[in-house]
Amino acid sequence: MPHSTENNVAAEQPVQDKLPEIITHPVPSRLLDSKQCPTPHINSMEQYRSMWKESVEEPNKFFGNLARDLLSWDKPFETVSHGSFEDGDVAWFLEGELNACYNAVDRHALKNPDKIAIIHEGDEPADVRHISYGELLRDVCRMANVLKGLGVRKGDNVAIYMPMIPETMIAILACARIGAIHSVVFAGFSAESLLDRVADCGAHIVITSDEGRRGGRNIATKSIVDNALAKEEAHQVEHVIVYQRTGSGVPMMENRDLWWHEEMEKARPVCSYEKMSAEDPLFLLYTSGSTGAPKGIVHTTGGYLLGAAATVKYIFDVHEDDVYACMADIGWVTGHTYILYGPLTLGVTTVLFESTPTYPTPARFWELIDKHKVTQFYTAPTAIRALQRLGDQWVDECDLSSLRVIGSVGEPINPEAWNWYNEKVGKGRCAVVDTYWQTETGSIIISPLPGCTPTKAGSATLPFFGIQPVLLDPATGAKIDKIDETGVLAIKNPWPSMARSIYQNHSRFLDTYVKAYPGHYFTGDGASIDKDGYIWIRGRVDDVINVSGHRLSTAEIESALSSHNSVSEAAVVGAHDDLTGQAIHAFVSLKPHANVSDGLDRELVLTVRKIIGPFAAPKRIHIVREHPKTRSGKIVRRILRKIVNGEHNQLGDTSTLADPSVIPSIVSQVHQ
Ligand code: WTA
């Protein structure tokens, strides 16, 4: 069955077509010179190709060896891969037992307690904390004991709504230690969104801070938690643990709220860890899909941890003394995998950054690299574009010579931004890794490898180990073999770190990801493959919009808008945006007696901010008399998408619309 949502394959971002000529960049020679850099784990295309071949032809051998090499097991596994997409029972390393916290903390702390695990670069540049593996282990054990004392047991869910501070990582690891399933909610979400997630996962404990700090400002976290928990749907929450970040004197609810520091003082810094089955859930992370409520993506312990560790090792080519810095928020999957689990499982030093790229100046990222001698740096195209616009002088002032690998994630990177990143930040002497993946894939699935893959600006290049990408025709589901032709991107055969389910809704998981194109995992992205086998990601083909690397569901934004009492119907589409990748345009029709005031646009934007969060605010609101609709009354978003993307002269056949005459007024309204 072909994918059922509206097909907008190739609608946006024809990255490759815009380029007059595509240049292939060889691996910088410095990376292969052992006098200047540690020898890359993979340093020839031959090596990559033979490892990839083994990973797909003999996955049991390949991933069995890798899992024994990179992870410590309490009980060895016998079966490597198990199950299939068809049967919906994918599992890896059955019989195996391990603990993610032991792998990320204990084993390094026991061997090398003084090694720095976390460098916290606080909001103010002078506010830096270094936390060793030994200290991390003690604090994680304390928090694990606090949670146990509150009755948290293996398999329970714990919600975490916290800013970018080491205590967030301690809370996550403490959950993993005792087998509790952590569910981190991005601290930019509103009280209503937080409530939905806390109610869905049924957490009895929420961990938060009094406030956060970001860009010189205080961010309310505890008061958002209070608002969320005031609702009946969150009645099961028994305790809120509050870390004091700013000391602003937030109200504490008697019997429910507990201060982090008071509980930690009472707790013993030793706590045995729970031996988890490889397939026990490690965490839930809610993400947006095409329809309805956000999905609690379930990741399990063994396969996820292996994906995290393997990709940090090979894609960032991490070596023992490296300082690895991922600028994502811990509330999204990139933070989970590439700030926390990946680097810590390998025992390297990871940087946790609390501030913004431009606070107090646009040199912040570059000063951070210089100050901590960062070797791998990972950020999003939006940040790169914003900093590029602010001028080269900020980069030029800093010494970036420690860098070896610079990465990009979250959205397609346009060649201009890629070239600037390569030349100005990497100085042409670093590997640029454009890494493609998703919350559901757990870890990177398509990317260059620093020591071997020649790169092309705008292409995520080649599949990681175990990944077999295929392009399918959205209408027929047939495989597309033609060079440069766009299709939907799907993956043949399961890989260790893929999501296993949607929390308490396995049938939705199967319907969304593996039934749309039988025998394949469906990514929701469009892509093409060039003559060298390089993959070019074209953007989402479903109703997901990607704004500054934030993944948003059009359905969720539409439902937020429709909750306003003047709104009759809302349709949301993504428009190409030079800075944020895509921007949200909302087309809204009003109820007959609605009060059309000047401030209505603003009110509608505020409604979305309140219901979802500030990052989901529409950039433009278009009040329309009527939407373009089919005769059966369905809004044709494809037409709206073309109009906002300046393709209103190529709308195609509009005669099937119930009333084609609505189009000219919409076009003139958008492009006036
Ligand atoms: C998009 C973030 C092009 C894509 C890790 C995907 C990308 C969605 C890239 C997942 C990339 C991520 N090139 N597009 N290198 N990386 N995407 O779940 O549309 O927040 O489906 O995971 O981001 O977003 P998510």
Side-chain angles (χ1 to χ4, degrees), residues 99 118 436 458 560 565 609 663:
N99 182 283
I118 302 170
Y436 168 80
N565 52 23
R609 290 174 67 102
I663 290 177

Side-chain angles (χ1 to χ4, degrees), residues 398-470:
C398 298
D399 175 7
L400 305 184
S401 58
S402 56
L403 286 174
R404 297 201 314 272
V405 182
I406 53 177
S408 165
V409 62
E411 43 174 325
I413 179 164
N414 51 310
E416 298 74 20
W418 193 101
N419 287 328
W420 185 81
Y421 199 33
N422 179 37
E423 285 157 26
K424 288 292 158 187
V425 180
K427 319 280 182 210
R429 53 204 284 289
C430 293
V432 180
V433 291
D434 173 5
T435 63
Y436 168 80
W437 62 296
Q438 313 176 299
T439 305
E440 297 87 336
T441 67
S443 55
I444 298 164
I445 59 168
I446 300 173
S447 172
L449 301 182
C452 68
T453 318
T455 48
K456 304 182 194 184
S459 169
T461 75
L462 299 168
F464 188 63
F465 304 131
I467 302 298
Q468 291 174 270
V470 283

